[in-house]
Amino acid sequence: MGFAVSAHAYDRFMGRYSAPLAPVFADFAGVAPGQRMLDVGCGPGALTTEMVRRLGDGFVVAIEPSVTFVEATRDRHPGVGVHRADAERLPLRDDTFDGALAQLVVHFMTDPVGGLREMGRVTKPGGVVAACVWDFEEGGGPLSLFWALARELNPHAPGEDARPGTRRGHLAVLLQESGVGDVEETALSIHVNHETFEDWWRPFELGVGPAGSYVSALDPRGRKRLEERCRELLPEPPFVVTAVAWAARGSPRAR
């Protein structure tokens, strides 16, 4: 999948978008002082950092399956309880948190409904379960142009639009199927400046995620063709990438 990479590589590739998304997502989920919150699939800690800023490190717990990312989050936030585990099997007690959030994670879960159900299990009644995923179906995600041009050159390029939660309304459906009630969904937008084309392109060569894995698998000629086609279609630098994520939230139903 391309997540056996360093935290630095992830920060350069997706962190440039996940870091500015974190405060917008935290606002949507209602993260506020006095709460105890869980970050599910924390990666190197973009959302964890925002939670710590709002709540203090003693009120944040993070879950992540990648050893590299677990170590990075622990190093960055020594006061946060960081556990290596899958979303579908949270090593935590029922009704422990005021909220459980998953930023840019549901579409990579082996069992999205099971993972969201676990998030609901560890959240107190009346708390919030929230998730967000980039918009791949309608072309609003930060990688949408990349995948559109990859498929233009190779119709068999996989893309990410078939993944769970990446189309309008699907995150809400997944939450409802997991047993979460009072579900609402919205679109969250961020704007990220890129000073040069290379600033945008080079992180794709780091092998991070499906897009990075795709670039890494191309031969030198194929990689150059894709790079040059992206250069042709992007605006003259500096340019701004506007990225849209679907976000949904709800409360666990009484058990």
Side-chain angles (χ1 to χ4, degrees):
M1 178 63 69
F3 289 111
V5 296
S6 71
H8 176 67
Y10 184 91
D11 288 342
R12 285 190 59 199
F13 179 68
M14 187 49 63
R16 54 191 173 162
Y17 305 115
S18 60
L21 177 63
V24 182
F25 180 45
D27 284 346
F28 171 73
V31 178
Q35 298 172 327
R36 188 164 187 249
M37 303 296 284
L38 175 66
D39 182 2
V40 176
C42 66
L47 181 58
T48 305
T49 298
E50 181 61 23
M51 287 181 172
V52 167
R53 186 185 71 80
R54 296 181 182 213
L55 309 177
D57 54 13
F59 296 90
V60 179
V61 173
I63 296 289
E64 168 59 42
S66 163
V67 175
T68 303
F69 292 167
V70 166
E71 292 174 352
T73 304
R74 285 174 177 165
D75 287 344
R76 293 171 180 183
H77 301 289
V80 170
V82 185
H83 304 272
R84 187 187 177 207
D86 294 322
E88 297 85 349
R89 291 174 293 277
L90 297 177
L92 303 164
R93 293 179 297 178
D94 294 1
D95 304 335
T96 303
F97 298 93
D98 297 295
L101 278 59
Q103 175 171 289
L104 308 179
V105 174
V106 168
H107 55 317
F108 293 121
M109 290 182 183
T110 303
D111 176 7
V113 172
L116 292 167
R117 184 180 296 118
E118 275 287 89
M119 290 169 63
R121 177 184 65 80
V122 302
T123 300
K124 299 173 185 176
V128 62
V129 176
C132 66
V133 175
W134 294 124
D135 162 32
F136 281 103
E137 183 186 47
E138 298 179 21
L143 309 184
S144 293
L145 175 66
F146 168 86
W147 282 120
L149 298 182
R151 282 176 165 169
E152 175 188 297
L153 298 175
N154 173 16
H156 301 293
E160 298 181 55
D161 53 332
R163 292 185 175 275
T166 59
R167 60 187 182 275
R168 185 188 296 269
H170 195 224
L171 264 183
V173 170
L174 294 173
L175 277 172
Q176 290 163 350
E177 291 179 354
S178 75
V180 173
D182 300 321
V183 175
E184 56 182 308
E185 183 176 283
T186 192
L188 306 177
S189 297
I190 60 166
H191 308 279
V192 178
N193 185 62
H194 294 274
E195 292 296 331
T196 66
F197 172 79
E198 287 71 24
D199 171 49
W200 180 85
W201 170 259
R202 294 303 172 216
F204 283 94
E205 299 179 333
L206 299 176
V208 180
S213 295
Y214 181 77
V215 170
S216 296
L218 293 172
D219 60 33
R221 182 171 175 272
R223 185 181 302 186
K224 192 65 178 177
R225 285 179 65 213
L226 179 54
E227 177 184 351
E228 289 308 314
R229 186 65 179 133
C230 289
R231 190 189 297 271
E232 290 172 6
L233 269 291
L234 280 164
E236 284 294 316
F239 57 85
V240 173
V241 170
T242 297
V244 176
W246 301 121
R249 66 187 177 195
S251 296
R253 294 192 178 100
R255 289 183 284 275

